[in-house]
Amino acid sequence: MPTEAEQMVEEMMAYRCPRYAQLPEIPLYRDQVLDAIERYTAPFFFGRNEPPLTAAMINNYVKLQLIDPPVKKRYERGQIARLYFICLLKQVMSISELRDLMAIQGRSYPLEQAYDYFCTELEKALQATFGTRDFSMPSSAQKTTPESELVRGLALCFANKMFTLKFIQLYPGQGEA
């Protein structure tokens, strides 16, 4: 029978990001978006007290122009992709840094391409971090650019933070005085 640590490692290595084409085709209401993001990010936020995304957060991201406002109270695939990206990377970056990164990526690549590249790099980073511990894997970018390396570095940063948090969760009460 696998240990709790082995189960956690297996879960992280098996994680697959929803690709752009797999995100809902029809526009979703905010509550549906919250449910979808919670499902997509569940392995990263399981056992944590706060949800990965709230209605207030979505409102703030619209006000900060990180995502476009909903149309008729519904969110399109591109907005959902951005929210998924934000939910994960806000773990390792400030919102202003995320805004800058999204602007750089937006000037460099179409959303679908940038999002799917992030998903590929995140999966590779999780496999390296939780599995091989070999961080020399080649980039999945068609052409390595400073912009693609930004995303790649962030994926590794996120994977390493999740690695640390997941293993800390295996030792409850260790930080109590």
Side-chain angles (χ1 to χ4, degrees):
M1 180 167 205
T3 67
E4 193 175 353
E6 290 168 335
Q7 288 174 337
M8 179 262 303
V9 167
E10 283 179 28
E11 179 183 34
M12 289 292 102
M13 289 186 56
Y15 180 79
R16 296 295 172 262
C17 301
R19 295 306 195 266
Y20 194 85
Q22 295 170 323
L23 295 173
E25 290 182 41
I26 58 170
L28 302 180
Y29 288 106
R30 185 174 56 205
D31 286 346
Q32 294 171 307
V33 171
L34 293 171
D35 289 342
I37 295 295
E38 191 164 327
R39 274 193 324 276
Y40 299 150
T41 62
F44 305 118
F45 295 98
F46 179 78
R48 292 172 70 181
N49 293 332
E50 70 277 354
L53 185 66
T54 64
M57 289 176 191
I58 292 175
N59 291 338
N60 285 335
Y61 300 152
V62 169
K63 286 177 191 171
L64 295 169
Q65 299 178 343
L66 288 169
I67 65 167
D68 293 331
V71 176
K72 297 181 182 177
K73 298 185 179 184
R74 293 184 182 188
Y75 296 84
E76 304 273 340
R77 182 182 280 174
Q79 293 159 301
I80 296 167
R82 287 179 181 274
L83 287 168
Y84 174 78
F85 182 80
I86 292 166
C87 281
L88 297 184
L89 291 185
K90 73 180 182 181
Q91 306 303 308
V92 294
M93 298 182 80
S94 71
I95 294 299
S96 64
E97 292 166 336
L98 263 171
R99 181 191 349 240
D100 293 345
L101 173 67
M102 290 169 69
I104 292 167
Q105 292 302 310
R107 287 190 302 267
S108 305
Y109 305 101
L111 177 60
E112 298 96 12
Q113 182 181 356
Y115 175 81
D116 283 347
Y117 174 68
F118 168 73
C119 289
T120 299
E121 287 301 316
L122 178 59
E123 290 169 1
K124 289 171 62 175
L126 288 168
Q127 290 170 6
T129 304
F130 284 88
T132 64
R133 303 297 296 161
D134 178 2
F135 301 103
S136 63
M137 73 264 190
S139 173
S140 64
Q142 292 175 355
K143 179 182 175 189
T144 301
T145 64
E147 294 85 1
S148 67
E149 288 301 295
L150 275 171
V151 173
R152 191 164 179 235
L154 278 169
L156 279 166
C157 187
F158 176 81
N160 277 288
K161 179 165 184 179
M162 287 302 112
F163 180 84
T164 303
L165 291 176
K166 289 289 186 179
F167 274 94
I168 287 172
Q169 286 178 345
L170 295 176
Y171 301 96
Q174 295 296 311
E176 297 173 4

